[in-house]
Amino acid sequence: MSNNTSTSRILIVDDEVINLELFEVMLSRLGFEVEMARDGEQALARLPEVKPDLIVLDNIMPGLTGWEVTRRIKNAPEYAAYRQVPIIMFSAMDEIADRIEGLELGVDDYITKPFNFSEVLARIRAVLHRHELAGQLARREHRLGIIEALNESLIFFSQHVRRPLEDQAERAAALLREESGDADALRAFAATAAEQARDVLTTLNELEEQISAVRGEGDRLKEGDLSLEQLQALIHDRLSGHEVAPDADR
């Protein structure tokens, strides 16, 4: 998903044409990319094509209800790639039980019809911001996990390579102190040292490959990351109930 919520792609799912047209006109004017579906089946079929950043979904529709669409997206293996896409659900019902059921299914926000478009727009932006914040935190946690894995590899290298080298150094010093100059002992030492040197080189090559892979993964995760200051500001504003644009100048 883009860091700029105004360029986010929104999939509107509603069987009422007038609602689709309203959202298409209003959200497009605000810079959002708008895609539409007339029912739940069409919405599910269009997911691979649209790859939405947000789904605005009516609950009461012929065929699949909004709850059923949500249940499939959140649980069915064939929709696993879209499981984290946030969903705002509309419904004419205002029962607490209905709201709770929607939230338990994985709905991010729930709006009762008839609705005010200004409120809907505010909720769309808030959900997109929350989703962006969650993504930023997840990427940073992933990067920390990668760094921790690399540290463990370095510790392993130190523990399993340093000690054999120390042993060989002690053995070499002992042989040098011996006056007899035992040829068999020297040959055995040389063979062992050569084998351990090969093991060290193999371990070093594996470590270099891992460092290269970690660097590449880290660079990929950095793409689209907010600065630490922006992330802190976003967390502060979400906790205080205010919105902040995550695409501010870096």
Side-chain angles (χ1 to χ4, degrees):
M1 186 180 80
S2 169
N3 285 336
N4 189 343
T5 56
S6 65
T7 58
S8 298
R9 184 178 296 113
I10 302 177
L11 177 61
I12 309 295
V13 188
D14 200 317
D15 62 309
E16 296 183 19
V17 176
I18 189 172
N19 288 336
L20 291 177
E21 292 177 345
L22 170 65
F23 278 105
E24 199 280 329
V25 171
M26 299 298 290
L27 293 177
S28 295
R29 287 179 178 177
L30 293 170
F32 292 96
E33 296 181 28
V34 181
E35 300 289 342
M36 296 177 286
R38 294 288 301 274
D39 55 46
E41 292 286 0
Q42 187 180 50
L44 293 174
R46 295 204 65 195
L47 284 177
E49 168 199 351
V50 175
K51 295 182 176 62
D53 297 301
L54 171 68
I55 299 172
V56 177
L57 176 67
D58 189 24
N59 187 23
I60 308 302
M61 296 184 294
L64 295 177
T65 66
W67 285 337
E68 291 168 334
V69 172
T70 300
R71 185 178 291 108
R72 292 195 187 186
I73 292 174
K74 300 298 183 181
N75 298 291
E78 60 267 35
Y79 303 114
Y82 315 102
R83 197 162 290 162
Q84 301 305 317
V85 176
I87 295 174
I88 295 177
M89 184 176 290
F90 291 99
S91 178
M93 297 181 294
D94 194 23
E95 296 294 332
I96 295 298
D98 295 322
R99 288 177 175 268
I100 292 174
E101 182 173 355
L103 294 171
E104 288 179 344
L105 285 173
V107 173
D108 293 78
D109 206 346
Y110 200 99
I111 301 175
T112 303
K113 292 182 177 180
F115 53 81
N116 177 281
F117 187 79
S118 296
E119 177 190 359
V120 174
L121 178 60
R123 290 179 180 272
I124 285 175
R125 286 175 170 162
V127 168
L128 287 171
H129 287 164
R130 288 199 301 269
H131 189 64
E132 173 64 19
L133 173 59
Q136 291 285 343
L137 293 175
R139 282 193 292 273
R140 289 176 185 272
E141 183 177 353
H142 189 185
R143 284 168 58 189
L144 289 174
I146 291 173
I147 293 172
E148 183 178 353
L150 180 58
N151 286 337
E152 291 177 355
S153 295
L154 291 171
I155 292 172
F156 175 86
F157 176 80
S158 176
Q159 292 176 340
H160 291 76
V161 173
R162 180 176 179 177
R163 184 58 187 171
L165 291 178
E166 290 176 344
D167 291 343
Q168 287 302 317
E170 293 175 2
R171 177 60 177 155
L175 288 172
L176 290 173
R177 287 194 299 269
E178 293 178 2
E179 297 180 357
S180 61
D182 189 330
D184 290 338
L186 289 172
R187 282 193 292 270
F189 170 76
T192 301
E195 181 179 356
Q196 290 185 338
R198 286 192 293 270
D199 291 341
V200 170
L201 289 174
T202 298
T203 304
L204 280 174
N205 289 334
E206 293 174 350
L207 188 59
E208 287 177 355
E209 291 177 359
Q210 184 175 0
I211 291 173
S212 178
V214 166
R215 183 180 294 115
E217 179 69 2
D219 290 343
R220 185 189 68 79
L221 290 171
K222 284 181 182 178
E223 294 178 0
D225 262 7
L226 301 178
S227 68
L228 182 58
E229 292 77 11
Q230 285 179 300
L231 189 59
Q232 289 172 335
L234 188 58
I235 294 172
H236 176 271
D237 280 13
R238 292 312 308 159
L239 291 176
S240 62
H242 298 94
E243 291 188 17
V244 62
D247 57 333
D249 292 338
R250 298 183 180 183

